[in-house]
């Protein structure tokens, strides 16, 4: 909208001057047109004629001129006052319109900003919902896989227990083979420990150069291999124990040792499973890499599972211990064996959580 500026006082002087000039010319014209009777002089210088001027008429005409001029000046002033009022009103209207447009623009900007922010929140929530659904799906699949593996192992143990009675004649040979396997297992374990320590040192040097996702994948792979190695060793020990258990009636002392070995092996296996369940629920954090924490977990057997009755920190990194305790609560139910002796060992168990 084009701004209309109010006229200044100097703009009124020109019309007033023109009006005054016109009135002055009008007075002169009236005086000039007055009816003055003048006689031509006679040739004789004896006769003198006077010009008669009616003063009343002159005053009347002068008053008319003054009235006309005053009326014209009043009209001109009224016109100028009207123009001034109109100009002021237009200026007020212009300012009001500018203020309305400014407020409208501000409101539109606020609404646009609010709409953008709302859309960002909606997109973020949708992304978070999809990620949560994906995590829940993966967790469900993982739990189902663990449950299937647990059931398969239970069936294998049951079958092995049934076959144990048919292996009485091979107990001596099996015992010798077991001793040799134990020696080989200890040597392999020592070698693996040295290799693991070297690998952990190399892993710590590699952490600064690789992304956190690769670190987690490598650690998960190593943990899986370790669990698979433990499972293979357990199966080997379990096969040897099955041979040994065949002669429990005649070799009670040897069988007692084998039984203890079996229980300890199962305790180690369940400890590894519990540790893996806890580690899988710890949220990724670069600070926790290379840290460890020792926990004491007490379980209450409820059939095939055990529920957590208490968890306490023994020692280790404070942040990792806090995350590990939270992960224990998230696991909730831990798988339990059917063997009462093994249950007695793992219902109050110490676990070391590495990250």
């Amino acid at each position: 909208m084009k701004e209309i500026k109010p006229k200044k006082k100097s703009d009124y002087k020109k019309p007033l001057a023109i009006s005054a000039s016109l009135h002055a010319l009008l007075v002169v014209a009236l005086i000039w047109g007055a009816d003055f009777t003048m006689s031509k002089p006679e040739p004789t210088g004896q006769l003198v004629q006077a010009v008669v001027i009616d003063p009343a008429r002159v005053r009347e005409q002068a008053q008319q001129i003054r009235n006309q001029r005053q009326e014209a000046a009043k009209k001109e002033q009224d016109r100028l006052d009207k123009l001034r009022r109109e100009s002021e009103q237009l200026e007020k209207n212009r300012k009001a319109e500018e203020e309305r447009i400014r407020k409208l623009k501000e409101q539109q900007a606020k609404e646009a900003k609010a709409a953008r922010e709302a859309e960002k929140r909606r997109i973020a929530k949708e992304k978070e919902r999809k990620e949560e659904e994906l995590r829940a799906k993966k967790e469900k699949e993982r739990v189902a896989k663990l449950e299937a593996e647990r059931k398969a192992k239970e069936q294998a143990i049951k079958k092995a227990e049934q076959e144990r009675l048919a292996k009485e004649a091979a107990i001596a040979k099996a015992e010798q083979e077991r001793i040799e396997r134990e020696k080989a297992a200890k040597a392999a374990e020592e070698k693996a420990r040295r290799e693991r320590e070297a690998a952990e040192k190399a892993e710590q040097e590699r952490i600064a150069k690789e992304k956190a996702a690769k670190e987690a994948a490598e650690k998960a792979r190593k943990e899986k291999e370790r669990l698979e190695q433990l499972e293979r060793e357990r199966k080997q020990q379990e096969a040897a124990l099955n041979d040994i258990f065949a002669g429990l009636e005649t070799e009670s002392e040897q069988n007692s040792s084998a039984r203890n070995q079996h229980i300890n092996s199962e305790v180690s296996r369940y400890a590894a499973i519990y540790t893996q369940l806890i580690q899988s629920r710890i949220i990724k954090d670069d600070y926790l890499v290379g840290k460890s924490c020792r926990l004491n977990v007490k379980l209450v057997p409820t059939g095939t599972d055990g529920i957590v009755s208490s968890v306490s920190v023994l020692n280790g990194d404070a942040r990792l211990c806090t995350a590990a305790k939270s992960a224990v609560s998230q696991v909730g139910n831990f798988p339990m064996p059917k063997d009462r002796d093994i249950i007695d060992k793992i219902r109050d168990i110490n676990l070391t959580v590495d990250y």
Side-chain angles (χ1 to χ4, degrees):
M1 180 184 292
K2 185 176 181 181
E3 181 179 2
I4 301 176
K5 297 182 179 180
K7 294 185 177 181
K8 299 180 180 178
K9 290 184 178 180
S10 59
D11 296 338
Y12 301 145
K13 291 182 179 180
K14 187 175 180 181
L16 290 175
I18 294 173
S19 177
S21 299
L22 291 175
H23 283 81
L25 290 174
L26 180 61
V27 171
V28 172
L30 289 173
I31 295 175
W32 183 262
D35 187 12
F36 297 113
T37 304
M38 299 179 64
S39 299
K40 295 181 178 180
E42 295 293 333
T44 63
Q46 298 297 321
L47 182 61
V48 178
Q49 292 180 347
V51 178
V52 178
I53 298 174
D54 188 353
R57 182 168 176 79
V58 171
R59 286 194 300 273
E60 181 181 353
Q61 290 178 350
Q63 183 63 38
Q64 289 178 354
I65 291 171
R66 284 194 297 272
N67 292 339
Q68 290 174 356
R69 189 170 65 180
Q70 290 176 356
E71 184 177 356
K74 184 176 182 301
K75 289 181 178 180
E76 182 64 18
Q77 185 63 41
D78 291 342
R79 186 182 69 82
L80 293 176
D81 290 342
K82 182 179 179 182
L83 288 175
R84 178 179 57 77
R85 288 191 299 272
E86 290 177 351
S87 176
E88 291 175 352
Q89 184 61 40
L90 288 173
E91 178 66 12
K92 290 180 180 179
N93 294 342
R94 181 189 66 78
K95 290 182 178 180
E97 181 64 16
E98 287 181 350
E99 179 66 14
R100 187 187 69 80
I101 293 173
R102 183 185 66 79
K103 291 181 178 179
L104 179 60
K105 288 181 177 180
E106 289 180 354
Q107 181 63 26
Q108 291 175 346
K110 290 179 180 179
E111 292 176 353
K113 181 179 179 181
R116 290 193 299 270
E117 292 177 352
E119 180 63 15
K120 288 180 180 179
R121 290 193 298 270
R122 185 192 67 78
I123 293 173
K125 288 182 179 179
E126 181 66 16
K127 181 179 179 182
E128 182 179 355
R129 182 186 64 78
K130 290 182 179 179
E131 290 176 350
E132 183 62 28
E133 287 179 353
L134 181 60
R135 286 195 297 270
K137 181 181 179 182
K138 289 182 178 180
E139 180 61 19
K140 184 177 180 180
E141 292 174 351
R142 190 187 65 79
V143 171
K145 182 178 179 182
L146 286 175
E147 180 65 16
E149 291 176 353
R150 183 185 65 79
K151 290 182 179 179
K153 291 173 183 178
E154 287 181 354
Q155 291 296 328
I157 293 172
K158 183 178 180 180
K159 182 179 179 181
E161 182 66 17
Q162 292 174 350
E163 294 175 350
R164 181 182 59 82
L165 299 175
K167 298 178 181 179
E168 295 179 354
I171 186 170
K173 181 180 178 180
E175 178 64 14
Q176 183 62 35
E177 291 176 352
R178 183 187 65 79
I179 293 173
E180 292 176 356
R181 281 195 297 270
E182 285 180 353
K183 291 180 180 180
K186 288 180 180 179
E189 184 178 0
E190 179 64 20
K191 181 180 178 181
R193 183 185 63 79
R194 291 195 299 269
E195 291 177 351
R196 186 168 60 252
E197 290 176 353
E200 289 175 353
K201 183 177 180 181
E203 180 69 8
Q204 291 176 356
E205 294 174 352
R206 187 178 61 82
I207 286 173
K209 299 178 181 179
E210 291 187 355
K211 294 181 180 180
K214 291 183 179 180
E215 296 170 354
E218 181 65 15
K219 187 172 181 64
R221 183 186 66 78
K222 290 182 178 181
E223 181 63 18
K224 182 179 179 181
E225 290 177 354
R226 187 178 70 83
L227 291 175
E228 289 175 351
Q229 179 64 28
L230 288 174
E231 182 63 17
R232 287 193 295 270
E233 293 175 358
R234 185 193 66 78
K235 288 181 178 180
Q236 292 173 357
Q237 294 170 357
E238 189 174 85
L241 290 173
N242 288 335
D243 293 337
I244 294 171
F245 290 159
L248 284 176
E249 292 79 1
T250 59
E251 300 291 340
S252 60
E253 184 176 351
Q254 292 180 355
N255 289 342
S256 176
S257 176
R259 173 64 174 169
N260 291 334
Q261 180 67 26
H262 171 70
I263 291 173
N264 292 335
S265 175
E266 284 297 285
V267 169
S268 298
R269 186 172 71 86
Y270 276 93
I273 293 173
Y274 294 170
T275 302
Q276 178 63 22
L277 288 174
I278 295 170
Q279 288 176 338
S280 67
R281 286 168 172 78
I282 296 177
I283 298 175
K284 181 172 179 55
D285 188 343
D286 292 342
Y287 167 81
L288 301 179
V289 175
K291 303 296 190 300
S292 64
C293 175
R294 292 188 69 245
L295 300 174
N296 174 261
V297 179
K298 290 183 174 60
L299 303 173
V300 177
T302 60
T304 58
D305 294 325
I307 60 175
V308 178
S309 63
S310 68
V311 57
S312 59
V313 175
L314 299 177
N315 54 62
D317 182 76
R319 283 179 59 178
L320 179 57
C321 289
T322 300
K325 288 183 66 176
S326 177
V328 171
S329 300
Q330 294 177 28
V331 173
N333 295 337
F334 289 83
M336 298 290 285
K338 293 184 177 180
D339 193 316
R340 177 55 59 182
D341 293 336
I342 301 174
I343 292 175
D344 292 340
K345 291 281 188 179
I346 65 175
R347 66 189 305 167
D348 186 351
I349 188 169
N350 295 335
L351 302 173
T352 299
V353 178
D354 297 319
Y355 193 84

